[in-house]
Amino acid sequence: MKWQLVAAHAVKLRAWDDELIVFNYLSGDTHLLGDAAAHIVATLQHSPADDRTIAAELCRRMQFDRTDEVIPEVGHILAELKALNLVEEVA
Amino acid sequence: MKLSELTSAELRTQLRAPGIVLQTGAFTTHLRSAIPSVATGIELLYADYPFRPPGGFADFHVSLERPRNLRGWFRAQVLFLFDGSEAFKPLPIDQAFPMLEWGLNWCISSHAHAYLMIHAAVVEKGGFAAILPAPPGSGKSTLCAALANRGWRLLSDELTLVRINDGKVVPVPRPVSLKNESIDVIRRFVPGAVLSREVSDTIKGTIAHLKPSSDSIRRAEELAQPAWIIFPKYKPGVQAELEEVPRSRAFMRVADNAFNYSELGLHGFETMSRLIGLSQSYDFTYSVLDEAIDVFAALKPPISFP
């Protein structure tokens, strides 16, 4: 299953250090995301991706080579981002 | 023309009718009132402000009046009218001048959406602004009053207005609202300070207002470049200390202290992003005003500015 940003054109990002401010101007909400969530959103900004691809990209950026161990954590973060109306499953 | 050019009698007569148009920084207010304590407060604290007779445009039309009802006869009260309508519930007549100050803040915070408005004091030195966002009780106004009497220019003790098109801070210098113990703290810290009569039993406790310097009023059209965002917190017994706040955290905290961040939508996000990106952000704890002044004096502006 692939994930995508709910409305990539309507999301503005501002990164400082390891954190990311996300503004969704469809909802008007602003969110502060930590390091891992920020990388996931940045990845999905380019194109939709599944859990494994996202986990692999996250591992590459964080120089960590055990993708399988990261996949469950990516799942949790995606669920949280979905609850914030930032990401959705691709239909 | 400055208000001080009117005699006391002329001021009271004009305030009663037709009113005066007072210029406070970027805003003009057509003000009418026949209540003596309002005239006394205006005469004392607004003497250096420019004014003109009514006519032409004014941003806000306000009056403070006695309610015309039975209760008003038995227990004297005051109403704040905005465009002729009651903006708030009446208060005891003794609170008429504080009500004017609160009402003028409300006029701006409810209507001036050409700016990102932050609930924060703001002072300036060398063209650079230090913004002090903080909830009530954190010592924001006390610190602001102290800084404004030690080399910093008062831009506002309550409302930081950030212009959307260029991110500059627009001054609204008005009397500084002091509460409870802060009143005597500032009396001791600023010998010769001009303060309004203390009004007790308000919703905020005992209130007095401090007259801003003539310089801050004269330079009310000089904008400032934001350079520091400092979250002050008074803590008894501590040494004055700055602790850096990551920009992303500062963004969320300033947004929480903004009156209209959400209403401005994308403009709010972009203006806040620029403000945070250009500023150094700190938590600041202090207990002794002289130490706090020294810390502020040592602030260095960020290196790069547009």
Side-chain angles (χ1 to χ4, degrees), chain B residues 8-160:
Chain B
S8 184
E10 286 170 338
L11 172 62
R12 282 158 206 273
T13 302
Q14 289 201 27
L15 261 179
R16 195 176 301 124
I20 57 171
V21 176
L22 199 56
Q23 182 86 41
T24 51
F27 302 99
T28 50
T29 303
H30 176 205
L31 170 66
R32 282 191 306 110
S33 185
I35 296 170
S37 64
V38 173
T40 301
I42 294 281
E43 186 177 10
L44 180 69
L45 301 183
Y46 284 88
D48 295 328
Y49 285 77
F51 86 104
R52 61 175 167 79
F57 177 81
D59 293 286
F60 312 119
H61 295 266
V62 307
S63 61
L64 283 103
E65 299 178 12
R66 300 275 298 270
R68 291 180 186 153
N69 57 28
L70 199 57
R71 182 178 165 80
W73 285 106
F74 289 104
R75 190 170 178 175
Q77 292 182 314
V78 56
L79 288 171
F80 181 92
L81 303 184
F82 177 80
D83 283 347
S85 300
E86 288 182 36
F88 313 104
K89 288 184 176 171
L91 290 177
I93 192 81
D94 191 46
Q95 299 181 24
F97 186 73
M99 190 182 208
L100 168 64
E101 290 296 327
W102 297 331
L104 292 178
N105 287 341
W106 172 84
C107 286
I108 297 171
S109 63
S110 302
H111 298 92
H113 296 297
Y115 308 96
L116 174 65
M117 291 183 282
I118 303 163
H119 184 207
V122 56
V123 291
E124 174 269 350
K125 190 191 268 184
F128 294 109
I131 298 170
L132 313 170
S138 44
K140 160 176 66 81
S141 292
T142 316
L143 180 58
C144 171
L147 289 165
N149 284 278
R150 291 290 191 282
W152 292 76
R153 174 168 64 113
L154 174 73
L155 304 189
S156 173
D157 80 315
E158 190 74 15
L159 295 163
T160 297

Side-chain angles (χ1 to χ4, degrees), chain A residues 23-80:
Chain A
F23 176 68
N24 179 344
Y25 58 90
L26 292 181
S27 67
D29 292 333
T30 304
H31 307 283
L32 169 62
L33 304 183
D35 199 2
H39 283 313
I40 291 173
V41 169
T43 300
L44 294 180
Q45 247 205 326
H46 297 299
S47 62
D50 59 22
D51 294 36
R52 174 166 289 279
T53 306
I54 294 169
E57 178 61 16
L58 194 57
C59 286
R60 188 186 65 76
R61 291 188 190 204
M62 294 183 166
Q63 298 176 322
F64 185 73
D65 59 5
R66 284 180 281 187
T67 301
D68 286 346
E69 292 178 22
V70 173
I71 290 174
E73 189 57 34
V74 165
H76 291 308
I77 294 172
L78 283 165
E80 288 176 12

Side-chain angles (χ1 to χ4, degrees), chain A residues 12 14 16 19 21 23 25 30 32, chain B residues 247-249 252 261 265-266 269 273:
Chain A
K12 289 277 182 183
R14 188 69 201 248
W16 283 293
E19 295 184 318
I21 300 286
F23 176 68
Y25 58 90
T30 304
L32 169 62
Chain B
R247 284 194 160 92
S248 52
R249 306 281 160 154
M252 300 304 281
Y261 169 75
L266 187 56
F269 174 78
S273 295

Side-chain angles (χ1 to χ4, degrees), chain B residues 209-232:
Chain B
H209 286 85
L210 172 71
K211 184 182 181 183
S213 71
S214 304
D215 180 62
S216 66
I217 298 161
R218 185 176 53 78
R219 296 169 59 197
E221 291 182 9
E222 283 181 33
L223 311 189
Q225 176 71 51
W228 309 279
I229 296 169
I230 298 176
F231 301 95

